[in-house]
Amino acid sequence: MYAAQIDYHRACSLQEAIALLQEHEGAKIIAGGHSLIPLLRFRLSDASSLIDIGRLDELKGISRSNGCVSIGALTTHAELASSDVLKDACPIIPEAAAVIGDPQVRNRGTVGGNLAHADPGSDLPTVLVALGAEFRVAGPSGDRLVAAADFFQGLMSTALGNDDVLTSVEVPAAQAGQGMAYAKYIHPASRYAVVGAAAVLTASGDTCSAARVAVGGLTPSATRAPSVECSLTGNGLGEKAQAEAASQVANDLGDDLLGDISASAGYRLKMAEVYVGRAVAAAAARTA
Amino acid sequence: MKVPIEVTVNGRQYRHEVEPRLLLVDYLRDTLDLTGAKIGCDTSQCGSCTVEMNGTAMKSCTCLAVQADGSTITTIEGLAVDGLHPIQEAFWNKHGLQCGFCTPGMIMAAKELLRNNPSPSPDEVRHGLEGNICRCTGYTNIVKAVQEAAAVMGGAS
């Protein structure tokens, strides 16, 4: 299906992109286009013009400094998956990026587009909520940092204003004793997450001293799992403790669960326990 | 509103004015008459529209022609230079196709797979072609074809 007629403007700088957003009401940012173009074609978006930021070098690249990794919004999923900096500093991100879509999609889809689109079946929101990442947002009145948990505000809704551009993601580098893992139940056709679970565990000796766990795929947006985290924290990381913690996840996901023809909400909830268990087990094994 | 674009496709330069909503696959097929890239699912799942843009495989149904401005594109028509490309040859030899609709996309995706992994195992071929669907389910011969191409092109398998 063809998209409706639309105007197109190519921004030469971030400032120009923001100015173009202010100038053109109903404009949408486009980078890789892998979230937005399908929406335009199904006429699910009524954007009147596109502001192309795909060539802005200032939004590209991955850099590490002071225990923090900064990921430019235009970084592709393929770049995330193969980044040596991330494999060292935050290995759950390459692990998750490698199971986004398929190779062709990973070559074009960008971090910024993925997060701004906020699809419930997306992988990166779950991982970044678990990591406690912050998103840098540029707007007409300057830059601000938004915590990942505050950025996602429900089904395909975010804290981005009409004239805002997501410019980078800031993630804390892994610390000693930390293990992290993402476990995904992949939809065989769409390759979105039926359920995705991310676990970031810190061990001191045989005890789990801190746990951050998030779940996506079956909730309108990525959701922290405090009951699971509570159950893990202060206890050992043996199989029994892992299973006990994973069994708590239903307490954390609320009543607004997503289901469709291929996987009902009830089924996804059962699978959430399974995949939280797998993420926790893999993360625990990596704390050593 | 039409936007001027300039692209190099299979070594030839083109200049056109296009509507922003025009998809790259429609530009290639309808404007340049390069109908090798197919429109299958139309929703970036089946991979039959796969082409190479600036050296990497991508789905041309999920890219606007205006986004491709300034880029270098190779389609299936650009692969055969002096005779068939080794991957094309291998698909022929191993009968890596039934109806043939998915074949251009499979070959373009296989080309990227072999660039990143010159001697993939059968399992790695299957994962590397996850973005391409063959509705005849001819996968077994497709995997054999990619492995033969790898051997011919200098990989170990």
Side-chain angles (χ1 to χ4, degrees):
Chain A
M1 185 166 169
Y2 286 106
Q5 283 197 330
I6 197 161
D7 286 344
Y8 175 85
H9 309 275
R10 187 176 296 153
C12 297
S13 69
L14 176 59
Q15 284 319 310
E16 190 189 358
I18 294 167
L20 283 165
L21 281 171
Q22 290 180 283
E23 193 181 323
H24 300 278
E25 201 181 330
K28 274 276 196 191
I29 292 284
I30 188 166
H34 272 51
S35 299
L36 184 57
I37 291 173
L39 287 189
L40 293 172
R41 298 182 62 195
F42 288 118
R43 310 218 175 184
L44 294 170
S45 164
D46 56 0
S48 55
S49 46
L50 297 174
I51 315 294
D52 191 349
I53 59 165
R55 292 160 202 242
L56 299 184
D57 286 338
E58 58 196 298
L59 304 184
K60 291 180 183 169
I62 299 169
S63 60
R64 181 178 187 170
S65 65
N66 300 331
C68 182
V69 182
S70 179
I71 304 167
L74 289 181
T75 307
T76 63
H77 305 313
E79 287 164 349
L80 288 183
S82 64
S83 161
D84 290 331
V85 172
L86 286 173
K87 281 179 190 172
D88 180 54
C90 204
I92 191 174
I93 294 179
E95 182 183 28
V99 293
I100 295 172
D102 55 56
Q104 294 98 308
V105 167
R106 293 195 287 273
N107 282 341
R108 291 282 300 163
T110 65
V111 175
N114 178 286
L115 300 176
H117 182 58
D119 192 287
S122 214
D123 303 291
L124 292 178
T126 308
V127 167
L128 295 172
V129 166
L131 283 169
E134 290 185 303
F135 299 168
R136 192 171 293 283
V137 175
S141 50
D143 271 25
R144 66 186 195 276
L145 277 172
V146 182
D150 300 329
F151 183 83
F152 299 107
Q153 301 189 336
L155 194 77
M156 296 170 124
S157 357
T158 69
L160 288 172
N162 288 341
D163 302 332
D164 285 338
V165 182
L166 175 59
T167 58
S168 70
V169 174
E170 316 289 327
V171 288
Q175 292 163 359
Q178 251 182 2
M180 45 183 78
Y182 181 64
K184 176 178 184 179
Y185 179 160
I186 196 163
H187 188 286
S190 74
R191 313 203 68 78
Y192 276 107
V194 174
V195 171
V200 180
L201 308 181
T202 312
S204 49
D206 292 334
T207 308
C208 176
S209 56
R212 292 181 63 99
V213 176
V215 181
L218 77 166
T219 46
S221 57
T223 305
R224 280 279 292 279
S227 308
V228 178
E229 294 172 355
C230 236
S231 174
L232 288 165
T233 308
N235 290 314
L237 278 169
E239 270 180 39
K240 226 175 147 181
Q242 291 172 15
E244 169 62 24
S247 72
Q248 305 294 314
V249 72
N251 300 328
D252 296 325
L253 302 180
D255 298 328
D256 188 12
L257 297 182
L258 307 176
D260 61 21
I261 192 168
S262 65
S264 67
Y267 174 65
R268 286 177 200 235
L269 186 57
K270 292 274 186 214
M271 289 300 106
E273 182 178 331
V274 173
Y275 281 81
V276 166
R278 288 181 187 179
V280 167
R286 293 171 187 172
T287 55
Chain B
M1 176 189 192
K2 284 202 170 187
V3 179
I5 63 165
E6 189 177 318
V7 289
T8 305
V9 182
N10 301 332
R12 224 181 119 182
Q13 270 205 338
Y14 297 91
R15 280 182 194 176
H16 287 99
E17 296 222 326
V18 299
E19 276 195 48
R21 63 173 169 171
L22 182 70
L23 297 170
L24 178 60
V25 70
D26 291 320
Y27 173 72
L28 293 171
R29 290 175 55 85
D30 298 342
T31 309
L32 304 190
D33 208 21
L34 295 168
T35 54
K38 301 287 182 271
I39 300 172
C41 71
D42 221 9
T43 51
S44 55
Q45 295 183 27
C46 81
S48 66
C49 65
T50 301
V51 301
E52 198 176 87
M53 185 157 98
N54 297 332
T56 56
M58 51 88 73
K59 293 182 171 178
S60 60
C61 79
T62 310
C63 177
L64 302 170
V66 285
Q67 291 178 285
D69 181 26
S71 66
T72 300
I73 293 166
T74 305
T75 70
I76 189 74
E77 290 91 342
L79 278 200
V81 183
D82 294 319
L84 292 179
H85 186 280
I87 304 175
Q88 293 174 307
E89 196 82 50
F91 268 69
W92 184 339
N93 290 341
K94 292 293 175 187
H95 198 65
L97 57 127
Q98 290 182 36
C99 82
F101 192 88
C102 73
T103 314
M106 284 286 179
I107 289 174
M108 296 310 291
K111 185 166 179 271
E112 166 144 316
L113 164 64
L114 294 178
R115 186 173 51 247
N116 295 332
N117 181 357
S119 60
S121 67
D123 199 43
E124 287 169 335
V125 174
R126 287 177 188 274
H127 278 296
L129 297 179
E130 271 169 353
N132 295 72
I133 294 173
C134 168
R135 282 292 79 147
C136 307
T137 68
Y139 295 107
T140 298
N141 283 356
I142 291 169
V143 174
K144 284 180 186 165
V146 175
Q147 290 213 285
E148 177 174 288
V152 170
M153 291 165 71
S157 61

